[in-house]
Amino acid sequence: MSQRSSHWQLQTIVSQLRTARDQWRAQNGRISGEQGGRELPSRAAMAEILEALCGALFPMRLGPVDLREESEDFYVGHTLDVALNALLAQARLELRYVARQSTQVDTEVEARAISLIQDFALALPGLRSLLDSDVLAAYHGDPAARSVDEVLLCYPGILAVIHHRLAHHLYRAGLPLLARISAEIAHSATGIDIHPGAQIGRSFFIDHGTGVVIGETAIIGERVRIYQAVTLGAKRFPADEDGQLQKGHPRHPIVEDDVVIYAGATILGRITIGKGSTIGGNVWLTRSVPAGCNLTQANLQHDDGTQK
C-alpha cells in the first residue's frame, strides 16, 4: 500500500465495508459469491447500447460525425450487431437474476434471452416509423423549430421519447429492469421522467420538457402535446393487509387523442381526459373531463375560490 494510501486507513475501511455487505446479504437471503461475477445488468453498458441504437435508428443525425451516406447501411448493420449482442448479455443477466428466484434453468434463460432480443431487433423498423411521427409532431407543434433535424438533434423531449419507445418494448417483453434503466438514463439527461410501462400513441410531443412525470399505468393517445412540469400521476397508493403498497393496478390518467396539457398541470388518478381537450397551465385535476373540454384555473374555481 502506498504512503499516500496510508492516510486514509484503507485496510480498515475495506474490511468494514466487507462486513456491511456481508450483513446486508445475510439479512436479505443473499449468498455471497454464488454467482462468481456480476449479478445484475449494468447501467453503463445500457447507456452505450442506447447510444448505439439511437445512431442505428438515425445514422446521419445521431451517428458518427464522419459517417457518409454511402456507408450508412454498413454502419447500421455493424452497430446493430454490436449493440444487440451487448443487449443480449444484459438480458441474460436480468433473466438469470429472476431465474434464481424460480425453477427456471440456465438453458431456458438462454433461449428466452435470444428470443426476446430477436423480437426487439425485428421491432426496430416499426419503432423508427413511430419515432418519425414524434419528430414531425415536434416540428409542426413548435413555431421555434426551424427543421426536423434541429428537433432530432436538440430537443430533450425527442431524446426522452426515443428512449421510451425502446424501453417500452423491453418492458412489455418481460425485461422491466433493463427498461427502467433505459428510462432513468433519459431521465438523468433530460429531466423528463417517463416510466417504461406508460402506453403512448403516435405523434407525441413534449415541449421544453423539464419536470415532466408520466406514471407507469398512464395511457396516452395519438397527437398529444404536453409542456414542461406536467405530471400524470397517481392520486393514492392503496396498501394490502400487511401495509405493503399494491403494485400493478391502474392508477394513472388516460389521455385521449388530440389533447394539449400546458405547463405545470397536475393530473392525478385513473381519470380520463377526453379527446380534443385542453388543460391549462397549473391546473390541479383529479376528475375526468369530457371530450372537447377547455379547463383553466379560472373555470375550475367557484366564486368563493374553492375548486369545483
Side-chain angles (χ1 to χ4, degrees):
M1 188 177 295
S2 69
Q3 183 176 1
R4 180 181 299 175
S5 298
S6 66
H7 293 314
W8 319 126
Q9 302 181 49
L10 291 183
Q11 188 171 2
T12 300
I13 295 169
V14 169
S15 176
Q16 291 172 343
L17 287 172
R18 163 60 68 180
T19 299
R21 293 196 303 273
D22 288 344
Q23 288 175 346
W24 187 91
R25 287 166 179 162
Q27 291 168 358
N28 290 275
R30 302 292 180 88
I31 300 174
S32 180
E34 66 174 347
Q35 185 72 5
R38 189 180 182 96
E39 297 182 12
L40 291 168
S42 163
R43 181 179 174 120
M46 285 304 298
E48 292 182 3
I49 291 165
L50 289 165
E51 183 175 4
L53 290 172
C54 287
L57 286 167
F58 299 96
M60 299 304 295
R61 299 296 177 267
L62 303 182
V65 66
D66 58 348
L67 181 64
R68 299 181 65 85
E69 194 168 344
E70 56 266 28
S71 305
E72 198 173 13
D73 284 348
F74 176 82
Y75 163 77
V76 170
H78 174 73
T79 301
L80 284 178
D81 186 41
V82 173
L84 292 171
N85 277 292
L87 185 59
L88 175 61
Q90 297 304 306
R92 287 193 193 104
L93 287 170
E94 177 167 353
L95 293 177
R96 286 172 182 164
Y97 172 76
V98 173
R100 288 196 294 273
Q101 305 173 46
S102 68
T103 59
Q104 286 180 292
V105 295
D106 282 350
T107 54
E108 294 171 339
V109 166
E110 178 68 12
R112 187 175 176 218
I114 292 172
S115 177
L116 291 178
I117 304 308
Q118 285 175 337
D119 289 345
F120 177 84
L122 292 172
L124 289 173
L127 290 175
R128 164 65 201 242
S129 176
L130 193 56
L131 288 165
D132 284 343
S133 76
D134 300 322
V135 171
L136 285 173
Y139 173 66
H140 292 304
D142 184 3
R146 295 176 181 270
S147 68
V148 292
D149 299 323
E150 178 187 359
V151 166
L152 190 55
L153 288 169
C154 302
Y155 281 39
I158 291 299
L159 177 60
V161 171
I162 293 172
H163 277 62
H164 176 74
R165 300 293 189 196
L166 297 168
H168 184 66
H169 184 97
L170 295 172
Y171 180 89
R172 289 175 62 88
L175 294 167
L177 184 54
L178 293 187
R180 192 63 188 268
I181 292 170
S182 302
E184 290 304 324
I185 290 169
H187 182 194
S188 297
T190 66
I192 298 168
D193 183 0
I194 310 177
H195 192 284
Q199 301 176 48
I200 301 177
R202 298 179 66 84
S203 302
F204 180 56
F205 176 33
I206 303 174
D207 200 356
H208 304 295
T210 304
V212 165
V213 177
I214 300 174
E216 177 185 19
T217 63
I219 299 175
I220 299 174
E222 298 186 353
R223 299 174 301 280
V224 170
R225 183 165 81 249
I226 66 177
Y227 289 79
Q228 67 271 22
V230 165
T231 297
L232 303 180
K235 184 178 180 182
R236 60 177 61 89
F237 303 96
D240 60 22
E241 294 178 354
D242 297 325
Q244 300 295 318
L245 291 181
Q246 296 180 7
K247 298 180 183 291
H249 67 279
R251 60 194 183 277
H252 300 102
I254 298 171
V255 179
E256 295 185 343
D257 297 346
D258 302 304
V259 168
V260 179
I261 306 174
Y262 284 101
T266 299
I267 302 172
L268 303 179
R270 193 57 162 190
I271 63 175
T272 298
I273 308 302
K275 180 177 180 179
S277 292
T278 298
I279 308 301
N282 297 314
V283 164
W284 178 280
L285 190 61
T286 58
R287 60 175 175 80
S288 295
V289 298
C293 192
N294 186 359
L295 286 183
T296 65
Q297 282 188 312
N299 63 26
L300 272 174
Q301 303 294 324
H302 287 295
D303 291 340
D304 62 3
T306 62
Q307 191 174 38
K308 292 182 181 178

PDB file of all heavy atoms in Angstrom, residues 264-301:
ATOM      1  N   GLY A 264     -47.085  22.901 -16.018  1.00  0.00           N
ATOM      2  CA  GLY A 264     -47.389  22.874 -14.592  1.00  0.00           C
ATOM      3  C   GLY A 264     -48.670  22.164 -14.207  1.00  0.00           C
ATOM      4  O   GLY A 264     -48.990  22.090 -13.022  1.00  0.00           O
ATOM      5  N   ALA A 265     -49.418  21.645 -15.168  1.00  0.00           N
ATOM      6  CA  ALA A 265     -50.656  20.945 -14.842  1.00  0.00           C
ATOM      7  C   ALA A 265     -50.347  19.631 -14.119  1.00  0.00           C
ATOM      8  O   ALA A 265     -49.414  18.916 -14.479  1.00  0.00           O
ATOM      9  CB  ALA A 265     -51.474  20.679 -16.096  1.00  0.00           C
ATOM     10  N   THR A 266     -51.161  19.324 -13.111  1.00  0.00           N
ATOM     11  CA  THR A 266     -51.023  18.082 -12.348  1.00  0.00           C
ATOM     12  C   THR A 266     -52.321  17.302 -12.471  1.00  0.00           C
ATOM     13  O   THR A 266     -53.381  17.772 -12.032  1.00  0.00           O
ATOM     14  CB  THR A 266     -50.718  18.376 -10.870  1.00  0.00           C
ATOM     15  OG1 THR A 266     -49.481  19.101 -10.775  1.00  0.00           O
ATOM     16  CG2 THR A 266     -50.603  17.093 -10.068  1.00  0.00           C
ATOM     17  N   ILE A 267     -52.250  16.123 -13.064  1.00  0.00           N
ATOM     18  CA  ILE A 267     -53.427  15.300 -13.334  1.00  0.00           C
ATOM     19  C   ILE A 267     -53.213  13.974 -12.632  1.00  0.00           C
ATOM     20  O   ILE A 267     -52.255  13.242 -12.933  1.00  0.00           O
ATOM     21  CB  ILE A 267     -53.631  15.101 -14.844  1.00  0.00           C
ATOM     22  CG1 ILE A 267     -53.761  16.476 -15.525  1.00  0.00           C
ATOM     23  CG2 ILE A 267     -54.849  14.245 -15.129  1.00  0.00           C
ATOM     24  CD1 ILE A 267     -53.764  16.410 -17.034  1.00  0.00           C
ATOM     25  N   LEU A 268     -54.079  13.663 -11.667  1.00  0.00           N
ATOM     26  CA  LEU A 268     -53.833  12.539 -10.769  1.00  0.00           C
ATOM     27  C   LEU A 268     -54.973  11.530 -10.790  1.00  0.00           C
ATOM     28  O   LEU A 268     -56.149  11.896 -10.852  1.00  0.00           O
ATOM     29  CB  LEU A 268     -53.643  13.037  -9.334  1.00  0.00           C
ATOM     30  CG  LEU A 268     -52.528  14.060  -9.088  1.00  0.00           C
ATOM     31  CD1 LEU A 268     -52.496  14.451  -7.620  1.00  0.00           C
ATOM     32  CD2 LEU A 268     -51.181  13.520  -9.529  1.00  0.00           C
ATOM     33  N   GLY A 269     -54.618  10.260 -10.703  1.00  0.00           N
ATOM     34  CA  GLY A 269     -55.593   9.188 -10.562  1.00  0.00           C
ATOM     35  C   GLY A 269     -56.012   8.600 -11.897  1.00  0.00           C
ATOM     36  O   GLY A 269     -55.654   9.092 -12.970  1.00  0.00           O
ATOM     37  N   ARG A 270     -56.806   7.539 -11.826  1.00  0.00           N
ATOM     38  CA  ARG A 270     -57.277   6.863 -13.042  1.00  0.00           C
ATOM     39  C   ARG A 270     -58.502   7.594 -13.570  1.00  0.00           C
ATOM     40  O   ARG A 270     -59.643   7.134 -13.459  1.00  0.00           O
ATOM     41  CB  ARG A 270     -57.609   5.406 -12.738  1.00  0.00           C
ATOM     42  CG  ARG A 270     -57.806   4.551 -14.007  1.00  0.00           C
ATOM     43  CD  ARG A 270     -56.578   4.604 -14.875  1.00  0.00           C
ATOM     44  NE  ARG A 270     -56.529   3.513 -15.855  1.00  0.00           N
ATOM     45  CZ  ARG A 270     -55.484   3.235 -16.593  1.00  0.00           C
ATOM     46  NH1 ARG A 270     -54.372   3.964 -16.457  1.00  0.00           N
ATOM     47  NH2 ARG A 270     -55.498   2.253 -17.460  1.00  0.00           N
ATOM     48  N   ILE A 271     -58.241   8.761 -14.132  1.00  0.00           N
ATOM     49  CA  ILE A 271     -59.289   9.576 -14.717  1.00  0.00           C
ATOM     50  C   ILE A 271     -59.035   9.683 -16.216  1.00  0.00           C
ATOM     51  O   ILE A 271     -57.957   9.329 -16.702  1.00  0.00           O
ATOM     52  CB  ILE A 271     -59.345  10.978 -14.072  1.00  0.00           C
ATOM     53  CG1 ILE A 271     -58.040  11.748 -14.323  1.00  0.00           C
ATOM     54  CG2 ILE A 271     -59.607  10.870 -12.569  1.00  0.00           C
ATOM     55  CD1 ILE A 271     -58.053  13.176 -13.827  1.00  0.00           C
ATOM     56  N   THR A 272     -60.009  10.160 -16.948  1.00  0.00           N
ATOM     57  CA  THR A 272     -59.893  10.264 -18.405  1.00  0.00           C
ATOM     58  C   THR A 272     -59.999  11.714 -18.842  1.00  0.00           C
ATOM     59  O   THR A 272     -60.925  12.427 -18.446  1.00  0.00           O
ATOM     60  CB  THR A 272     -60.990   9.428 -19.095  1.00  0.00           C
ATOM     61  OG1 THR A 272     -60.819   8.061 -18.742  1.00  0.00           O
ATOM     62  CG2 THR A 272     -60.915   9.577 -20.607  1.00  0.00           C
ATOM     63  N   ILE A 273     -59.042  12.131 -19.658  1.00  0.00           N
ATOM     64  CA  ILE A 273     -59.087  13.441 -20.294  1.00  0.00           C
ATOM     65  C   ILE A 273     -59.604  13.213 -21.710  1.00  0.00           C
ATOM     66  O   ILE A 273     -58.934  12.591 -22.535  1.00  0.00           O
ATOM     67  CB  ILE A 273     -57.705  14.112 -20.325  1.00  0.00           C
ATOM     68  CG1 ILE A 273     -57.073  14.123 -18.929  1.00  0.00           C
ATOM     69  CG2 ILE A 273     -57.824  15.522 -20.888  1.00  0.00           C
ATOM     70  CD1 ILE A 273     -57.892  14.831 -17.881  1.00  0.00           C
ATOM     71  N   GLY A 274     -60.815  13.699 -21.982  1.00  0.00           N
ATOM     72  CA  GLY A 274     -61.491  13.396 -23.232  1.00  0.00           C
ATOM     73  C   GLY A 274     -60.785  13.952 -24.458  1.00  0.00           C
ATOM     74  O   GLY A 274     -60.030  14.934 -24.397  1.00  0.00           O
ATOM     75  N   LYS A 275     -61.064  13.332 -25.581  1.00  0.00           N
ATOM     76  CA  LYS A 275     -60.438  13.677 -26.853  1.00  0.00           C
ATOM     77  C   LYS A 275     -60.587  15.163 -27.177  1.00  0.00           C
ATOM     78  O   LYS A 275     -61.661  15.746 -27.013  1.00  0.00           O
ATOM     79  CB  LYS A 275     -61.073  12.847 -27.970  1.00  0.00           C
ATOM     80  CG  LYS A 275     -60.497  13.107 -29.349  1.00  0.00           C
ATOM     81  CD  LYS A 275     -61.122  12.204 -30.387  1.00  0.00           C
ATOM     82  CE  LYS A 275     -60.542  12.475 -31.771  1.00  0.00           C
ATOM     83  NZ  LYS A 275     -61.109  11.582 -32.806  1.00  0.00           N
ATOM     84  N   GLY A 276     -59.481  15.761 -27.616  1.00  0.00           N
ATOM     85  CA  GLY A 276     -59.507  17.150 -28.050  1.00  0.00           C
ATOM     86  C   GLY A 276     -59.569  18.172 -26.938  1.00  0.00           C
ATOM     87  O   GLY A 276     -59.730  19.367 -27.209  1.00  0.00           O
ATOM     88  N   SER A 277     -59.409  17.759 -25.700  1.00  0.00           N
ATOM     89  CA  SER A 277     -59.471  18.702 -24.582  1.00  0.00           C
ATOM     90  C   SER A 277     -58.175  19.497 -24.452  1.00  0.00           C
ATOM     91  O   SER A 277     -57.106  19.070 -24.907  1.00  0.00           O
ATOM     92  CB  SER A 277     -59.739  17.958 -23.275  1.00  0.00           C
ATOM     93  OG  SER A 277     -61.030  17.412 -23.261  1.00  0.00           O
ATOM     94  N   THR A 278     -58.279  20.658 -23.794  1.00  0.00           N
ATOM     95  CA  THR A 278     -57.119  21.475 -23.466  1.00  0.00           C
ATOM     96  C   THR A 278     -57.111  21.704 -21.961  1.00  0.00           C
ATOM     97  O   THR A 278     -58.114  22.154 -21.397  1.00  0.00           O
ATOM     98  CB  THR A 278     -57.174  22.829 -24.189  1.00  0.00           C
ATOM     99  OG1 THR A 278     -57.155  22.599 -25.606  1.00  0.00           O
ATOM    100  CG2 THR A 278     -55.983  23.693 -23.803  1.00  0.00           C
ATOM    101  N   ILE A 279     -55.983  21.384 -21.319  1.00  0.00           N
ATOM    102  CA  ILE A 279     -55.834  21.576 -19.877  1.00  0.00           C
ATOM    103  C   ILE A 279     -54.844  22.718 -19.674  1.00  0.00           C
ATOM    104  O   ILE A 279     -53.690  22.648 -20.115  1.00  0.00           O
ATOM    105  CB  ILE A 279     -55.318  20.299 -19.191  1.00  0.00           C
ATOM    106  CG1 ILE A 279     -56.171  19.085 -19.572  1.00  0.00           C
ATOM    107  CG2 ILE A 279     -55.284  20.491 -17.680  1.00  0.00           C
ATOM    108  CD1 ILE A 279     -57.629  19.202 -19.207  1.00  0.00           C
ATOM    109  N   GLY A 280     -55.306  23.774 -19.028  1.00  0.00           N
ATOM    110  CA  GLY A 280     -54.487  24.970 -18.866  1.00  0.00           C
ATOM    111  C   GLY A 280     -53.350  24.805 -17.884  1.00  0.00           C
ATOM    112  O   GLY A 280     -53.275  23.826 -17.127  1.00  0.00           O
ATOM    113  N   GLY A 281     -52.461  25.781 -17.871  1.00  0.00           N
ATOM    114  CA  GLY A 281     -51.294  25.751 -17.002  1.00  0.00           C
ATOM    115  C   GLY A 281     -51.656  25.752 -15.536  1.00  0.00           C
ATOM    116  O   GLY A 281     -52.602  26.420 -15.105  1.00  0.00           O
ATOM    117  N   ASN A 282     -50.911  24.962 -14.749  1.00  0.00           N
ATOM    118  CA  ASN A 282     -51.020  24.900 -13.291  1.00  0.00           C
ATOM    119  C   ASN A 282     -52.367  24.376 -12.784  1.00  0.00           C
ATOM    120  O   ASN A 282     -52.670  24.519 -11.603  1.00  0.00           O
ATOM    121  CB  ASN A 282     -50.731  26.273 -12.663  1.00  0.00           C
ATOM    122  CG  ASN A 282     -49.307  26.730 -12.943  1.00  0.00           C
ATOM    123  OD1 ASN A 282     -48.361  25.965 -12.796  1.00  0.00           O
ATOM    124  ND2 ASN A 282     -49.170  27.972 -13.372  1.00  0.00           N
ATOM    125  N   VAL A 283     -53.152  23.777 -13.657  1.00  0.00           N
ATOM    126  CA  VAL A 283     -54.412  23.167 -13.213  1.00  0.00           C
ATOM    127  C   VAL A 283     -54.101  21.921 -12.401  1.00  0.00           C
ATOM    128  O   VAL A 283     -53.230  21.125 -12.744  1.00  0.00           O
ATOM    129  CB  VAL A 283     -55.289  22.813 -14.433  1.00  0.00           C
ATOM    130  CG1 VAL A 283     -56.403  21.839 -14.052  1.00  0.00           C
ATOM    131  CG2 VAL A 283     -55.878  24.080 -15.031  1.00  0.00           C
ATOM    132  N   TRP A 284     -54.861  21.747 -11.311  1.00  0.00           N
ATOM    133  CA  TRP A 284     -54.790  20.529 -10.480  1.00  0.00           C
ATOM    134  C   TRP A 284     -56.082  19.768 -10.725  1.00  0.00           C
ATOM    135  O   TRP A 284     -57.169  20.255 -10.429  1.00  0.00           O
ATOM    136  CB  TRP A 284     -54.641  20.917  -9.013  1.00  0.00           C
ATOM    137  CG  TRP A 284     -54.611  19.754  -8.060  1.00  0.00           C
ATOM    138  CD1 TRP A 284     -55.672  19.043  -7.588  1.00  0.00           C
ATOM    139  CD2 TRP A 284     -53.447  19.178  -7.452  1.00  0.00           C
ATOM    140  NE1 TRP A 284     -55.260  18.055  -6.734  1.00  0.00           N
ATOM    141  CE2 TRP A 284     -53.894  18.116  -6.631  1.00  0.00           C
ATOM    142  CE3 TRP A 284     -52.088  19.461  -7.528  1.00  0.00           C
ATOM    143  CZ2 TRP A 284     -53.018  17.334  -5.868  1.00  0.00           C
ATOM    144  CZ3 TRP A 284     -51.216  18.676  -6.770  1.00  0.00           C
ATOM    145  CH2 TRP A 284     -51.684  17.636  -5.952  1.00  0.00           C
ATOM    146  N   LEU A 285     -55.982  18.558 -11.287  1.00  0.00           N
ATOM    147  CA  LEU A 285     -57.170  17.853 -11.751  1.00  0.00           C
ATOM    148  C   LEU A 285     -57.197  16.421 -11.225  1.00  0.00           C
ATOM    149  O   LEU A 285     -56.232  15.669 -11.397  1.00  0.00           O
ATOM    150  CB  LEU A 285     -57.176  17.844 -13.282  1.00  0.00           C
ATOM    151  CG  LEU A 285     -58.454  17.372 -13.980  1.00  0.00           C
ATOM    152  CD1 LEU A 285     -59.644  18.254 -13.616  1.00  0.00           C
ATOM    153  CD2 LEU A 285     -58.239  17.366 -15.487  1.00  0.00           C
ATOM    154  N   THR A 286     -58.317  16.051 -10.599  1.00  0.00           N
ATOM    155  CA  THR A 286     -58.477  14.695 -10.061  1.00  0.00           C
ATOM    156  C   THR A 286     -59.804  14.079 -10.489  1.00  0.00           C
ATOM    157  O   THR A 286     -60.258  13.113  -9.889  1.00  0.00           O
ATOM    158  CB  THR A 286     -58.393  14.712  -8.519  1.00  0.00           C
ATOM    159  OG1 THR A 286     -59.404  15.587  -7.993  1.00  0.00           O
ATOM    160  CG2 THR A 286     -57.018  15.163  -8.051  1.00  0.00           C
ATOM    161  N   ARG A 287     -60.442  14.637 -11.514  1.00  0.00           N
ATOM    162  CA  ARG A 287     -61.692  14.067 -12.025  1.00  0.00           C
ATOM    163  C   ARG A 287     -61.649  14.063 -13.547  1.00  0.00           C
ATOM    164  O   ARG A 287     -60.938  14.851 -14.173  1.00  0.00           O
ATOM    165  CB  ARG A 287     -62.901  14.872 -11.545  1.00  0.00           C
ATOM    166  CG  ARG A 287     -62.894  16.337 -11.977  1.00  0.00           C
ATOM    167  CD  ARG A 287     -64.177  17.046 -11.564  1.00  0.00           C
ATOM    168  NE  ARG A 287     -64.150  18.467 -11.870  1.00  0.00           N
ATOM    169  CZ  ARG A 287     -64.387  18.997 -13.051  1.00  0.00           C
ATOM    170  NH1 ARG A 287     -64.637  18.213 -14.090  1.00  0.00           N
ATOM    171  NH2 ARG A 287     -64.364  20.303 -13.226  1.00  0.00           N
ATOM    172  N   SER A 288     -62.408  13.154 -14.141  1.00  0.00           N
ATOM    173  CA  SER A 288     -62.438  13.052 -15.594  1.00  0.00           C
ATOM    174  C   SER A 288     -63.092  14.281 -16.213  1.00  0.00           C
ATOM    175  O   SER A 288     -63.921  14.947 -15.581  1.00  0.00           O
ATOM    176  CB  SER A 288     -63.213  11.802 -16.017  1.00  0.00           C
ATOM    177  OG  SER A 288     -62.550  10.627 -15.593  1.00  0.00           O
ATOM    178  N   VAL A 289     -62.703  14.566 -17.445  1.00  0.00           N
ATOM    179  CA  VAL A 289     -63.325  15.667 -18.186  1.00  0.00           C
ATOM    180  C   VAL A 289     -63.758  15.136 -19.547  1.00  0.00           C
ATOM    181  O   VAL A 289     -63.107  14.256 -20.124  1.00  0.00           O
ATOM    182  CB  VAL A 289     -62.373  16.869 -18.345  1.00  0.00           C
ATOM    183  CG1 VAL A 289     -62.000  17.450 -16.993  1.00  0.00           C
ATOM    184  CG2 VAL A 289     -61.111  16.474 -19.105  1.00  0.00           C
ATOM    185  N   PRO A 290     -64.860  15.641 -20.098  1.00  0.00           N
ATOM    186  CA  PRO A 290     -65.381  15.127 -21.371  1.00  0.00           C
ATOM    187  C   PRO A 290     -64.565  15.604 -22.561  1.00  0.00           C
ATOM    188  O   PRO A 290     -63.715  16.496 -22.447  1.00  0.00           O
ATOM    189  CB  PRO A 290     -66.795  15.701 -21.413  1.00  0.00           C
ATOM    190  CG  PRO A 290     -66.711  16.967 -20.610  1.00  0.00           C
ATOM    191  CD  PRO A 290     -65.728  16.687 -19.521  1.00  0.00           C
ATOM    192  N   ALA A 291     -64.848  15.022 -23.705  1.00  0.00           N
ATOM    193  CA  ALA A 291     -64.172  15.415 -24.942  1.00  0.00           C
ATOM    194  C   ALA A 291     -64.416  16.895 -25.241  1.00  0.00           C
ATOM    195  O   ALA A 291     -65.481  17.449 -24.947  1.00  0.00           O
ATOM    196  CB  ALA A 291     -64.685  14.563 -26.099  1.00  0.00           C
ATOM    197  N   GLY A 292     -63.410  17.543 -25.787  1.00  0.00           N
ATOM    198  CA  GLY A 292     -63.546  18.934 -26.208  1.00  0.00           C
ATOM    199  C   GLY A 292     -63.570  19.937 -25.089  1.00  0.00           C
ATOM    200  O   GLY A 292     -63.881  21.112 -25.309  1.00  0.00           O
ATOM    201  N   CYS A 293     -63.213  19.545 -23.878  1.00  0.00           N
ATOM    202  CA  CYS A 293     -63.270  20.443 -22.724  1.00  0.00           C
ATOM    203  C   CYS A 293     -62.069  21.396 -22.729  1.00  0.00           C
ATOM    204  O   CYS A 293     -60.978  21.032 -23.165  1.00  0.00           O
ATOM    205  CB  CYS A 293     -63.272  19.615 -21.442  1.00  0.00           C
ATOM    206  SG  CYS A 293     -63.674  20.549 -19.975  1.00  0.00           S
ATOM    207  N   ASN A 294     -62.261  22.612 -22.239  1.00  0.00           N
ATOM    208  CA  ASN A 294     -61.190  23.593 -22.127  1.00  0.00           C
ATOM    209  C   ASN A 294     -61.128  24.053 -20.674  1.00  0.00           C
ATOM    210  O   ASN A 294     -61.931  24.873 -20.237  1.00  0.00           O
ATOM    211  CB  ASN A 294     -61.448  24.775 -23.060  1.00  0.00           C
ATOM    212  CG  ASN A 294     -60.275  25.751 -23.076  1.00  0.00           C
ATOM    213  OD1 ASN A 294     -59.290  25.558 -22.385  1.00  0.00           O
ATOM    214  ND2 ASN A 294     -60.392  26.808 -23.865  1.00  0.00           N
ATOM    215  N   LEU A 295     -60.178  23.501 -19.918  1.00  0.00           N
ATOM    216  CA  LEU A 295     -60.089  23.795 -18.491  1.00  0.00           C
ATOM    217  C   LEU A 295     -58.949  24.754 -18.197  1.00  0.00           C
ATOM    218  O   LEU A 295     -57.829  24.562 -18.669  1.00  0.00           O
ATOM    219  CB  LEU A 295     -59.849  22.504 -17.697  1.00  0.00           C
ATOM    220  CG  LEU A 295     -61.009  21.531 -17.522  1.00  0.00           C
ATOM    221  CD1 LEU A 295     -60.570  20.373 -16.645  1.00  0.00           C
ATOM    222  CD2 LEU A 295     -62.211  22.217 -16.923  1.00  0.00           C
ATOM    223  N   THR A 296     -59.246  25.760 -17.404  1.00  0.00           N
ATOM    224  CA  THR A 296     -58.217  26.663 -16.905  1.00  0.00           C
ATOM    225  C   THR A 296     -58.392  26.785 -15.403  1.00  0.00           C
ATOM    226  O   THR A 296     -59.403  26.339 -14.841  1.00  0.00           O
ATOM    227  CB  THR A 296     -58.342  28.060 -17.532  1.00  0.00           C
ATOM    228  OG1 THR A 296     -59.583  28.654 -17.104  1.00  0.00           O
ATOM    229  CG2 THR A 296     -58.306  27.983 -19.053  1.00  0.00           C
ATOM    230  N   GLN A 297     -57.446  27.406 -14.738  1.00  0.00           N
ATOM    231  CA  GLN A 297     -57.593  27.640 -13.302  1.00  0.00           C
ATOM    232  C   GLN A 297     -58.856  28.452 -13.016  1.00  0.00           C
ATOM    233  O   GLN A 297     -59.571  28.191 -12.051  1.00  0.00           O
ATOM    234  CB  GLN A 297     -56.374  28.378 -12.762  1.00  0.00           C
ATOM    235  CG  GLN A 297     -55.164  27.488 -12.544  1.00  0.00           C
ATOM    236  CD  GLN A 297     -54.061  28.234 -11.826  1.00  0.00           C
ATOM    237  OE1 GLN A 297     -53.710  29.365 -12.203  1.00  0.00           O
ATOM    238  NE2 GLN A 297     -53.519  27.627 -10.799  1.00  0.00           N
ATOM    239  N   ALA A 298     -59.142  29.416 -13.868  1.00  0.00           N
ATOM    240  CA  ALA A 298     -60.289  30.292 -13.638  1.00  0.00           C
ATOM    241  C   ALA A 298     -61.607  29.524 -13.681  1.00  0.00           C
ATOM    242  O   ALA A 298     -62.458  29.681 -12.810  1.00  0.00           O
ATOM    243  CB  ALA A 298     -60.302  31.412 -14.666  1.00  0.00           C
ATOM    244  N   ASN A 299     -61.796  28.659 -14.692  1.00  0.00           N
ATOM    245  CA  ASN A 299     -63.092  27.992 -14.776  1.00  0.00           C
ATOM    246  C   ASN A 299     -63.180  26.729 -13.928  1.00  0.00           C
ATOM    247  O   ASN A 299     -64.177  26.027 -13.944  1.00  0.00           O
ATOM    248  CB  ASN A 299     -63.474  27.687 -16.231  1.00  0.00           C
ATOM    249  CG  ASN A 299     -62.532  26.728 -16.925  1.00  0.00           C
ATOM    250  OD1 ASN A 299     -61.878  25.906 -16.310  1.00  0.00           O
ATOM    251  ND2 ASN A 299     -62.459  26.853 -18.251  1.00  0.00           N
ATOM    252  N   LEU A 300     -62.110  26.446 -13.143  1.00  0.00           N
ATOM    253  CA  LEU A 300     -62.174  25.350 -12.173  1.00  0.00           C
ATOM    254  C   LEU A 300     -62.530  25.841 -10.779  1.00  0.00           C
ATOM    255  O   LEU A 300     -62.650  25.055  -9.858  1.00  0.00           O
ATOM    256  CB  LEU A 300     -60.821  24.629 -12.111  1.00  0.00           C
ATOM    257  CG  LEU A 300     -60.608  23.483 -13.096  1.00  0.00           C
ATOM    258  CD1 LEU A 300     -59.187  22.970 -13.006  1.00  0.00           C
ATOM    259  CD2 LEU A 300     -61.591  22.369 -12.827  1.00  0.00           C
ATOM    260  N   GLN A 301     -62.691  27.153 -10.616  1.00  0.00           N
ATOM    261  CA  GLN A 301     -62.926  27.707  -9.291  1.00  0.00           C
ATOM    262  C   GLN A 301     -64.367  28.190  -9.117  1.00  0.00           C
ATOM    263  O   GLN A 301     -64.979  28.729 -10.026  1.00  0.00           O
ATOM    264  CB  GLN A 301     -61.982  28.903  -9.049  1.00  0.00           C
ATOM    265  CG  GLN A 301     -60.497  28.584  -9.184  1.00  0.00           C
ATOM    266  CD  GLN A 301     -60.008  27.645  -8.114  1.00  0.00           C
ATOM    267  OE1 GLN A 301     -60.453  27.725  -6.975  1.00  0.00           O
ATOM    268  NE2 GLN A 301     -59.120  26.738  -8.478  1.00  0.00           N
TER     269      GLN A 301
END
